[in-house]
Amino acid sequence: MSGFKAFFNQWIQEQGLQLQELKAAESDPEAQHQLAPLILRVIHHYENYYKAKADATKEDVLRMYSPSWTSTLENSFMWIAGWRPSTIFHLVYTKIAGIQAEQELDDFLDEKGNEEKLTSLSPAQLMQLDELQRRTIREEVSISEKMAKLQEKTGDQPFVNLAEIETTTDTVSAGNLAEIETTTDTVSGRSSYAEIGMHEKGLMWLLEKADELRLRTLKGVVDILSPLQSLRFLTVAASLHLRVHEIGEEKDQQRQSSTSNSGQGDRRQ
């Protein structure tokens, strides 16, 4: 899992470099006529992330739900070990449609209201985005409901039996069915640890579906938007991700520093 942490840190650095490219293209009218290669590279960067994440999930799915490579702030926002797909639409409507509204007002004041606006969302685009958003939310709800059912199973008898097993032996380690079988011969013990294995498989399946939805929604929005709109959207998405990551790391470092200083003060006393 340390391999994925190293991958993530490298991936974040690469996203920062891509963000600089996106911003440079935004301010360069010449570059705006050749946006397709840049947009494809950004999408490919996201695809690489989810491929590496899927491989790491097979090694240790539980670690993916409580990652050490992201800050506690980032983890507090997570939905099924990642960002909520429907968040994309808030970015589109506030940063693309918001730009549209501002430009229309400027054009009205400048008496240029009949000119075509590159960042405007057309009625057809709005309909497509609305359909995609509805579909995305339905899938989000379905995955959330399945997660709730999986978590509710912790109250089932096999899981409850773990409390009894723990009090009868001191050598049992979580997730190790072989040790259960050598330290206790109860059917409930074996079924309890088998249930944990099934729980992990359920978490893995849910994460796979959630990540598929995240990537599919991202690509779906880019397919609907024009190249210039996609440029703006991908710029805002990367900026938000990197900024939250940065703030989260700063807060964690401050918390660690405060804890360290408090411990030193206690020792002096």
Side-chain angles (χ1 to χ4, degrees):
M1 193 55 66
S2 60
F4 183 77
K5 184 175 183 178
F7 165 83
F8 178 81
N9 290 335
Q10 178 65 32
W11 189 88
I12 281 286
Q13 292 179 14
E14 292 172 356
Q15 188 178 42
L17 294 175
Q18 286 189 342
L19 178 58
Q20 294 178 18
E21 290 187 72
L22 290 166
K23 288 183 176 179
E26 267 195 304
S27 59
D28 184 356
E30 293 298 325
Q32 292 175 7
H33 297 294
Q34 298 178 337
L35 295 177
L38 175 57
I39 291 172
L40 286 175
R41 279 193 288 112
V42 173
I43 296 299
H44 185 60
H45 190 239
Y46 281 106
E47 290 175 336
N48 286 341
Y49 171 77
Y50 287 112
K51 182 181 183 302
K53 187 178 177 183
D55 292 339
T57 299
K58 295 174 184 176
E59 296 180 14
D60 189 352
V61 63
L62 298 181
R63 184 64 61 84
M64 303 306 294
Y65 279 83
S66 55
S68 60
W69 46 89
T70 50
S71 65
T72 52
L73 175 64
E74 291 170 280
N75 293 346
S76 71
F77 292 131
M78 284 191 177
W79 171 83
I80 318 291
W83 50 272
R84 185 176 288 274
S86 57
T87 304
I88 281 181
F89 299 99
H90 296 293
L91 293 179
V92 172
Y93 290 132
T94 57
K95 298 303 180 181
I96 303 299
I99 289 173
Q100 175 181 348
E102 292 175 4
Q103 286 190 334
E104 287 177 351
L105 177 60
D106 290 341
D107 288 343
F108 174 76
L109 295 174
D110 293 338
E111 298 182 352
K112 299 177 182 178
N114 293 326
E115 290 187 6
E116 182 179 358
K117 307 167 199 62
L118 291 176
T119 56
S120 296
L121 290 171
S122 69
Q125 285 179 312
L126 289 171
M127 289 181 63
Q128 289 176 297
L129 286 169
D130 180 65
E131 181 181 349
L132 179 60
Q133 183 178 21
R134 291 173 184 273
R135 195 162 60 241
T136 299
I137 291 175
R138 283 197 299 268
E139 292 190 57
E140 269 188 13
V141 171
S142 176
I143 294 172
S144 294
E145 289 176 346
K146 289 180 173 63
M147 172 59 86
K149 290 180 180 178
L150 184 66
Q151 292 173 332
E152 286 171 3
K153 292 187 68 175
T154 58
D156 290 351
Q157 192 62 36
F159 274 104
V160 173
N161 288 336
L162 283 174
E164 180 180 349
I165 295 167
E166 187 175 0
T167 60
T168 59
T169 176
D170 294 329
T171 60
V172 176
S173 60
N176 193 330
L177 180 58
E179 291 186 22
I180 278 285
E181 292 173 338
T182 57
T183 56
T184 180
D185 194 28
T186 62
V187 174
S188 62
R190 291 193 294 272
S191 62
S192 294
Y193 276 80
E195 192 73 14
I196 289 178
M198 294 300 295
H199 180 73
E200 292 182 353
K201 289 182 179 178
L203 290 174
M204 188 178 301
W205 184 86
L206 286 168
L207 181 51
E208 176 186 348
K209 295 302 178 184
D211 281 347
E212 286 178 358
L213 180 59
R214 282 185 264 265
L215 185 57
R216 189 167 66 249
T217 304
L218 177 70
K219 289 182 174 180
V221 167
V222 171
D223 287 341
I224 293 171
L225 299 178
S226 70
L228 188 57
Q229 291 167 341
S230 294
L231 174 69
R232 179 58 180 165
F233 162 67
L234 293 172
T235 301
V236 172
S239 296
L240 176 62
H241 181 222
L242 290 170
R243 186 56 181 148
V244 172
H245 182 70
E246 179 184 358
I247 294 174
E249 285 194 324
E250 289 175 356
K251 290 180 69 68
D252 284 349
Q253 290 172 2
Q254 292 171 0
R255 188 179 300 107
Q256 291 172 4
S257 177
S258 176
T259 301
S260 177
N261 293 335
S262 176
Q264 292 176 0
D266 292 342
R267 284 195 294 272
R268 294 193 193 98
Q269 296 175 3

